Amino acid sequence: MAPPRNVVKIAVQKPDAIPQLIRLDQAKPLAAVVKEVCDAWSLSHSERYALQFADGHRRYITENNRTEIKNGSILCLSTAPDLEAERLLSGLQSGSRERRRETLQHLVLLAPDVTFAQEVISRDGLQRLGTIIEDGDDLGEVLTLTLRAFLELMEHGMVSWETLSIPFIRKVVSYVNMNLMDASVQPLALRLLESVTLSSPALGQLVKSEVPLDRLLVHLQVMNQQLQTKAMALLTALLQGASPTERKVSVVSGGWMGEGAGAGAGSHCAPSWDRRMGVHGGVKSPKPPSHLSQHMLDYLWQRNLRQFIYKNIIHSATPLGDEMAHHLYVLQALTLGLLEPRMRTPLDPYSPEQREQLQALRQAAFESEGESLGAGLSADRRRSLCAREFRKLGFSFVLENSSREDKHECPFARSSIQLTVLLCELLRVGEPCEWDWAQRVWERGTEGQRGPGAAHTFSLSPSCPPAPGSETAQDFSPMFFGQDQSFHELFCVSIQLLNKTWKEMRATQEDFDKVIQVVREQLARTLALKPSSLELFRTKVNALPYGEVLRLRQTERLHQEGTLAPPILELREKLKPELMGLIRQQRLLRLCEGTLFRKISSRRRQDKLWFCCLSPNHKVLQYGDVEEGASPPTLESLPEQLPVADIKALLTGKDCPHVREKGSGKQNKDLYELAFSVSYDHGEEEAYLNFIAPSKREFHLWTDGLSALLGSPMGSEQTRLDLEQLLTMETKLRLLELENVPIPEQPPPIPPPPTNFNFCYDCSITEP
């Protein structure tokens, strides 16, 4: 008999005791379950004990999370969380350094559990830890464990970061600014300051004034990935919190002095902070910064931050972590966000500034009237300048368009504007972002100290929709850190790509939107590959021509329809011979119906008509002249016959004798695409029956039909399209009954043969 659904079979462990195998009734109160376990081990005062998960993070079992207990779970009996919190906090007051270290180790282990954290915080555990951090008596392992425990408790969100005192923040800042400091302390101090900066505008100003940017740059240059990551986290936090009043900044002793950072005394959890910031025991979400500090980014770029990130972080021998990738994404978004004011500025034909910019652009690419190569610039200098500007600004686009036909000319100004809009959309420049408190999944994933039911860690981060092909906020492009003017460089490559795609599509003005859509897809697919440099981006995007885009679209469509699964492909291969026979039959029927062709005279005039068809027995081609406007002749009225058995070969295009050596004019090119001939023996000489098809479709039908008569494969484009259409239709018909049924990638394995075959029943033996 199966056990009830609310009963699970589990094991309970206890040090120095034999484990118990019990049936846990989820409907029974947890206190009663603990009492039964204690009674089995003859333990009194069951209220002093609690159950924990034995694996993972040793979380306490409560009424809220007991549903996570499954069949086969292993629990352990341990001290109740309130008593354990009291014991550990008492151990922090011990004068023995070794006991304090062991206490902190145990505290760090249990701090991620929300039940235990509530007990510690309710007993002023944060204040006791804050005192140890602020005193700074031990700068080694004890301080590291204290910072870690403090962060774990704060990240449950039960206490606001704004309640921290200014002396406490300054002490943590001093750990960041120290030269000789334990390598495990500074990443934790940086992590704490990052949370403070993102959570409290007032304390964030204090961090800005106390932590020099040059100091963060020093931490970034240390070959310690954890320290680099936390330094980058604080750097992006400072940039996110930059306000318009901080656009005018000054470097004081290598640091950036913000406004509004005051000094004063206060406890670690002073109520005055809550009253001043309007916080009542919770976390107040700051408004998103309306502007970014252009000067801060300019200063960082002048200090070669971009080059260092590109060479020593992105191209480091150590794999890039998820958290660092996120911060590089944020830094990229902040940098590109500086282009938003220019993007929002409309074109004003009466603006003197914009007219001067256009004039400077024109002079950079073209010589002024009356200006010679020797006037002011040497010939070599002028040549190098023009070559550079033509390449950079895309003016080869203009020159190439000047030699095109009017209907195929690509509008340069319209293309440039639309391409700029397209790049801003792909890179999400100016997109409205919701700045919210988001769970820092990467941090919890790397440290592995959160489980189901744990509280969130808060961080201010943009929750924009991800870029094409992106699923997380880590989708930064390495090439943007390889160029000083990455957006402008990308535009120069993209405008040349647009011109190339325009030519490949043989586009006209009416096709402008179609070309832009193809260019968008080319850029999006290439950006999704995350090329490491602009040159690699140029190579990859140029290797994605219009034809390849069409092929990829077709492949993706087939994937979505499930027609590329191995079993489906096998089915399609089995259907091909039958369907090719059907196409062959249709082609021969078309030849039997016959077609009117025009004759080409010596003067290239197509003024005479003749009719050709295949006999019903597929053995003779019959043909003859007909009058203009006459109805198609009957088979018996056609005077000429050509036995199929006499046909030697089928010729097409330039190989045909009636269009050979006619020059390379446009009219001849059109004839090449429609011309075909059949060669046959006429006595001792080789003769030809020449055709000019009335359309491309008729050309395909007749060449396929003649190939089928000669036993050759039908290789026309029309055959390929017809076969694909028939395969798709037939496959869907065969799979109608399997709708919404998953088709396995591999066939099920064939079971091995039995050890013997002594199971055959002999029907000839009659039963008694």
Side-chain angles (χ1 to χ4, degrees):
M1 179 177 178
R5 296 181 60 182
N6 59 345
V7 174
V8 292
K9 298 178 180 180
I10 62 172
V12 183
Q13 298 176 337
K14 181 181 177 296
D16 303 325
I18 299 176
Q20 300 182 36
L21 298 177
I22 65 173
R23 292 174 177 262
L24 173 62
D25 187 355
Q26 294 283 30
K28 184 181 295 186
L30 197 59
V33 175
V34 174
K35 187 176 187 312
E36 290 179 0
V37 172
C38 291
D39 291 343
W41 279 319
S42 302
L43 298 175
S44 58
H45 304 290
S46 61
E47 67 276 4
R48 298 180 181 178
Y49 297 92
L51 292 175
Q52 285 180 306
F53 286 104
D55 54 353
H57 312 302
R58 299 185 70 86
R59 290 180 297 115
Y60 281 98
I61 305 297
T62 64
E63 294 291 349
N64 294 328
N65 65 6
R66 64 183 298 174
T67 55
E68 298 175 23
I69 304 175
K70 306 297 180 184
N71 278 316
S73 296
I74 301 177
L75 308 182
C76 62
L77 188 69
S78 61
T79 308
D82 54 344
L83 298 178
E84 187 69 11
E86 188 68 40
R87 183 183 71 83
L88 293 178
L89 292 178
S90 299
L92 293 179
Q93 310 299 323
S94 172
S96 170
R97 182 178 180 278
E98 184 62 25
R99 185 184 174 190
R100 290 174 64 186
R101 185 182 64 82
E102 292 177 356
T103 300
L104 286 168
Q105 286 178 339
H106 199 180
L107 185 61
V108 168
L109 183 65
L110 295 177
D113 181 66
V114 63
T115 305
F116 177 79
Q118 288 174 341
E119 299 294 339
V120 172
I121 293 173
S122 65
R123 290 168 171 75
D124 296 332
L126 284 173
Q127 286 86 338
R128 299 188 190 184
L129 293 172
T131 301
I132 297 175
I133 295 172
E134 194 167 346
D135 291 343
D137 296 333
D138 191 328
L139 301 181
E141 186 180 5
V142 170
L143 180 59
T144 300
L145 293 171
T146 306
L147 284 169
R148 192 182 299 277
F150 187 88
L151 284 166
E152 292 291 349
L153 293 173
M154 287 294 295
E155 285 170 355
H156 287 288
M158 301 174 191
V159 178
S160 171
W161 290 95
E162 295 179 338
T163 60
L164 302 181
S165 68
I166 292 177
F168 176 80
I169 298 298
R170 283 181 168 161
K171 188 64 178 181
V172 177
V173 167
S174 69
Y175 297 145
V176 172
N177 293 337
M178 281 185 184
N179 290 324
L180 300 177
M181 173 57 64
D182 191 286
S184 59
V185 171
Q186 288 184 326
L188 296 170
L190 288 165
R191 176 177 157 193
L192 191 152
L193 294 179
E194 178 206 3
S195 298
V196 168
T197 302
L198 295 174
S199 305
S200 170
L203 294 180
Q205 292 289 341
L206 176 63
V207 175
K208 287 186 181 74
S209 64
E210 296 287 340
V211 180
L213 287 183
D214 283 338
R215 187 62 190 168
L216 294 180
L217 295 177
V218 170
H219 289 318
L220 283 173
Q221 295 174 15
V222 176
M223 292 296 104
N224 181 328
Q225 191 176 41
Q226 186 181 17
L227 184 58
Q228 283 181 340
T229 301
K230 299 306 177 185
M232 182 64 72
L234 180 55
L235 185 61
T236 55
L238 294 174
L239 289 171
Q240 289 177 34
S243 62
T245 58
E246 293 170 307
R247 286 183 171 273
K248 186 176 181 180
V249 292
S250 59
V251 183
V252 180
S253 301
W256 291 77
M257 299 299 295
E259 299 178 8
S267 65
H268 299 294
C269 297
S272 59
W273 281 103
D274 285 10
R275 289 195 298 270
R276 189 198 307 182
M277 302 308 299
V279 178
H280 302 283
V283 180
K284 179 184 176 184
S285 300
K287 294 182 180 180
S290 57
H291 297 281
L292 302 174
S293 178
Q294 171 77 59
H295 297 285
M296 291 179 70
L297 284 170
D298 286 345
Y299 178 78
L300 293 171
W301 264 215
Q302 291 170 8
R303 302 290 290 177
N304 297 324
L305 174 63
R306 178 190 62 76
Q307 292 89 330
F308 181 82
I309 291 175
Y310 186 72
K311 294 179 181 178
N312 298 87
I313 295 180
I314 295 178
H315 292 287
S316 172
T318 307
L320 197 66
D322 290 343
E323 187 179 357
M324 177 61 83
H326 168 76
H327 295 305
L328 292 179
Y329 158 81
V330 173
L331 183 59
Q332 172 186 303
L334 295 174
T335 306
L336 291 173
L338 297 176
L339 299 172
E340 182 178 358
R342 291 184 60 186
M343 183 188 72
R344 303 291 185 193
T345 303
L347 181 63
D348 183 5
Y350 303 103
S351 171
E353 181 181 356
Q354 293 184 10
R355 292 177 66 88
E356 289 176 3
Q357 291 175 351
L358 289 174
Q359 185 64 20
L361 188 66
R362 179 179 179 276
Q363 292 178 352
F366 302 105
E367 295 181 14
S368 302
E369 293 183 5
E371 182 183 4
S372 63
L373 290 178
L377 288 175
S378 66
D380 292 339
R381 173 63 175 162
R382 167 61 71 179
R383 193 176 296 111
S384 64
L385 176 62
C386 287
R388 184 178 72 251
E389 298 300 336
F390 270 62
R391 182 178 65 255
K392 298 284 282 184
L393 301 175
F395 275 98
S396 57
F397 191 134
V398 180
L399 297 179
E400 189 170 343
N401 271 288
S402 64
S403 61
R404 290 179 182 167
E405 298 180 27
D406 291 342
K407 68 175 183 178
H408 290 294
E409 181 179 349
C410 181
F412 178 67
R414 183 184 177 190
S415 299
S416 300
I417 294 171
Q418 194 63 34
L419 184 60
T420 304
V421 173
L422 173 59
L423 289 175
C424 289
E425 291 176 356
L426 290 177
L427 302 174
R428 296 178 306 196
V429 177
E431 273 193 9
C433 298
E434 297 179 1
W435 297 76
D436 61 356
W437 298 95
Q439 184 179 8
R440 302 208 4 227
V441 179
W442 65 87
E443 200 166 278
R444 294 276 65 84
T446 54
E447 295 179 8
Q449 295 185 3
R450 278 286 184 271
H456 289 178
T457 299
F458 297 108
S459 172
L460 190 63
S461 60
S463 62
C464 303
S470 168
E471 297 181 356
T472 65
Q474 304 168 8
D475 190 29
F476 77 98
S477 296
M479 71 174 180
F480 281 97
F481 294 94
Q483 306 289 332
D484 285 325
Q485 300 290 337
S486 56
F487 187 90
H488 303 77
E489 298 280 358
L490 184 61
F491 173 84
C492 293
V493 174
S494 301
I495 194 68
Q496 296 172 23
L497 172 68
L498 190 149
N499 186 37
K500 173 175 172 286
T501 304
W502 186 279
K503 289 193 298 182
E504 292 171 350
M505 296 178 65
R506 303 180 67 182
T508 61
Q509 297 284 348
E510 291 76 15
D511 302 322
F512 183 83
D513 292 337
K514 294 180 181 178
V515 175
I516 291 297
Q517 288 300 320
V518 173
V519 172
R520 169 190 284 273
E521 188 168 347
Q522 290 171 317
L523 293 174
R525 288 181 183 275
T526 308
L527 287 173
L529 298 175
K530 294 187 177 181
S532 58
S533 67
L534 185 69
E535 287 304 318
L536 187 58
F537 174 83
R538 188 197 309 272
T539 302
K540 288 183 177 294
V541 80
N542 287 329
L544 194 64
Y546 175 59
E548 181 66 13
V549 171
L550 293 180
R551 190 190 67 80
L552 290 173
R553 287 177 177 177
Q554 175 74 4
T555 303
E556 290 172 356
R557 183 182 64 81
L558 293 176
H559 272 295
Q560 291 176 357
E561 295 175 356
T563 54
L564 290 184
I568 305 300
L569 292 178
E570 186 176 347
L571 174 62
R572 286 166 63 94
E573 288 297 323
K574 290 183 178 180
L575 294 175
K576 273 185 181 181
E578 179 184 352
L579 297 179
M580 284 299 294
L582 185 63
I583 294 174
R584 180 182 182 278
Q585 183 180 354
Q586 187 271 339
R587 298 295 194 262
L588 294 177
L589 286 175
R590 184 69 186 87
L591 265 60
C592 291
E593 292 176 5
T595 303
L596 279 172
F597 297 95
R598 287 191 177 272
K599 287 185 177 181
I600 300 178
S601 64
S602 58
R603 295 183 180 181
R604 316 299 293 167
R605 293 178 58 189
Q606 303 184 26
D607 51 358
K608 294 184 179 181
L609 294 175
W610 65 289
F611 184 83
C612 183
C613 65
L614 180 66
S615 63
N617 60 5
H618 300 170
K619 292 185 177 181
V620 178
L621 283 177
Q622 297 185 262
Y623 58 95
D625 294 340
V626 295
E627 296 295 332
E628 183 80 29
S631 60
T634 62
L635 193 65
E636 294 78 11
S637 63
L638 295 173
E640 304 291 340
Q641 292 186 351
L642 173 60
V644 173
D646 293 344
I647 298 177
K648 297 174 58 179
L650 171 66
L651 307 176
T652 59
K654 294 182 180 181
D655 296 332
C656 299
H658 59 307
V659 296
R660 192 182 301 161
E661 299 179 359
K662 296 296 184 181
S664 57
K666 182 179 180 182
Q667 186 178 7
N668 290 326
K669 289 183 178 179
D670 294 339
L671 291 178
Y672 293 156
E673 296 179 355
L674 301 175
F676 62 97
S677 304
V678 290
S679 64
Y680 60 94
D681 292 329
H682 185 67
E684 296 182 356
E685 297 181 356
E686 187 176 26
Y688 298 92
L689 183 60
N690 301 317
F691 300 79
I692 297 293
S695 66
K696 195 69 176 176
R697 175 176 173 78
E698 288 293 332
F699 172 82
H700 289 318
L701 294 177
W702 271 83
T703 53
D704 284 341
L706 292 172
S707 297
L709 288 174
L710 298 176
S712 302
M714 298 180 294
S716 71
E717 180 68 15
Q718 189 63 42
T719 296
R720 187 188 67 81
L721 294 176
D722 291 347
L723 178 62
E724 182 61 34
Q725 184 177 7
L726 291 172
L727 280 172
T728 302
M729 294 173 59
E730 185 67 21
T731 304
K732 289 182 177 179
L733 289 174
R734 297 285 184 100
L735 300 178
L736 275 179
E737 296 182 358
L738 293 181
E739 189 174 359
N740 298 326
V741 176
I743 299 176
E745 292 288 331
Q746 301 294 333
I750 300 175
T755 55
N756 62 74
F757 295 89
N758 297 330
F759 51 84
C760 180
Y761 182 77
D762 191 353
C763 298
S764 62
I765 301 177
T766 58
E767 296 182 0

